[in-house]
Amino acid sequence: NDCARAYLHYETGDIADADRVLTRAMSGLQMSGMALPLVLARITRAKIMISRDRLQDAETMLAQLDELVELQRNTRLQALVCYEKMRLRFYAGQRADDLIARYDLASRCVQVETLFLDEYQEEHLFWLKSKLIAYLMDADFAAASEDALKGMIKSLHLGCWRHRITFCLFKALSEFRLNRYSDACASYNRA
């Protein structure tokens, strides 16, 4: 579908084609009312805006997602949107305390025993990544390293290699900031 093609163009750095394909796809999605494709399309649009340093436009685009009824009921979509908003704030060098409170990240901690359950698959990965960004903003690198390890375990269990690489890199960054250089090098090499 066009949303997936737009995302792949974005991921390969072909922003112009991503924008063109996404523009065509979004007009049909607005009328369809399908929540997941619409959320993913708007997130991709926000990523394109970020790459063009249109941070305010990207934040507005992501804020509009909160109005979707489906988002209010679907914790998986909430996790995805929260992560993208956290990523935008991190990129802009802004605090995200309001997002942490709004999405109640403190109570959504992923327990060790849930890492090996198949339920809440990607939802847990995105909540972990959101918490990681919050820890990095607060320079709490020990907590970031711990959650990165949880993310590595969860993504390994689910066979999500892309997420696993992301968590390995988060872990390497956290370990580097903790002056644990050999651990950071090992995590980076694992990624």
Side-chain angles (χ1 to χ4, degrees):
N1 85 24
D2 281 342
C3 290
R5 284 185 45 228
Y7 181 75
L8 290 174
H9 281 296
Y10 168 81
E11 285 294 307
T12 59
D14 191 356
I15 304 300
D17 277 346
D19 196 19
R20 180 183 48 77
V21 171
L22 193 60
T23 299
R24 183 175 61 229
M26 285 186 79
S27 61
L29 283 174
Q30 297 287 15
M31 291 184 261
S32 74
M34 295 186 297
L36 181 59
L38 185 59
V39 168
L40 296 177
R42 286 187 180 176
I43 286 172
T44 303
R45 170 70 72 207
K47 287 181 176 188
I48 291 169
M49 291 173 179
I50 292 168
S51 71
R52 294 178 171 163
D53 285 327
R54 294 175 44 205
L55 303 182
Q56 186 60 47
D57 293 338
E59 188 160 359
T60 301
M61 173 72 66
L62 292 173
Q64 291 172 352
L65 293 174
D66 293 330
E67 299 167 12
L68 294 174
V69 173
E70 182 64 28
L71 185 76
Q72 296 165 10
R73 286 185 259 165
N74 188 327
T75 56
R76 181 177 180 210
L77 290 179
Q78 288 173 14
L80 181 60
V81 170
C82 177
Y83 170 68
E84 292 302 333
K85 287 180 176 183
M86 294 288 284
R87 207 170 63 82
L88 172 64
R89 294 285 181 87
F90 188 73
Y91 182 84
Q94 299 172 345
R95 300 271 317 158
D97 297 328
D98 60 317
L99 295 177
I100 293 169
R102 180 182 181 327
Y103 291 100
D104 203 19
L105 284 180
S107 69
R108 293 187 184 274
C109 59
V110 179
Q111 303 298 323
V112 172
E113 53 272 13
T114 66
L115 297 179
F116 301 99
L117 299 176
D118 288 335
E119 58 185 322
Y120 311 117
Q121 293 181 14
E122 280 199 299
E123 180 180 332
H124 276 186
L125 295 175
F126 283 106
W127 285 128
L128 281 168
K129 286 199 277 187
S130 297
K131 284 178 56 181
L132 274 166
I133 291 175
Y135 289 144
L136 292 174
M137 287 177 175
D138 290 340
D140 187 350
F141 302 114
S145 179
E146 181 182 314
D147 270 14
L149 180 59
K150 286 181 182 179
M152 288 171 60
I153 293 167
K154 183 72 173 177
S155 56
L156 178 64
H157 174 69
L158 297 174
C160 299
W161 294 104
R162 182 177 180 162
H163 289 296
R164 185 170 182 218
I165 292 167
T166 301
F167 284 111
C168 285
L169 291 172
F170 271 130
K171 189 168 181 287
L173 173 63
S174 301
E175 291 164 342
F176 180 80
R177 294 292 177 95
L178 291 167
N179 299 323
R180 293 173 26 204
Y181 301 119
S182 61
D183 291 338
C185 189
S187 295
Y188 180 78
N189 288 336
R190 192 172 298 118

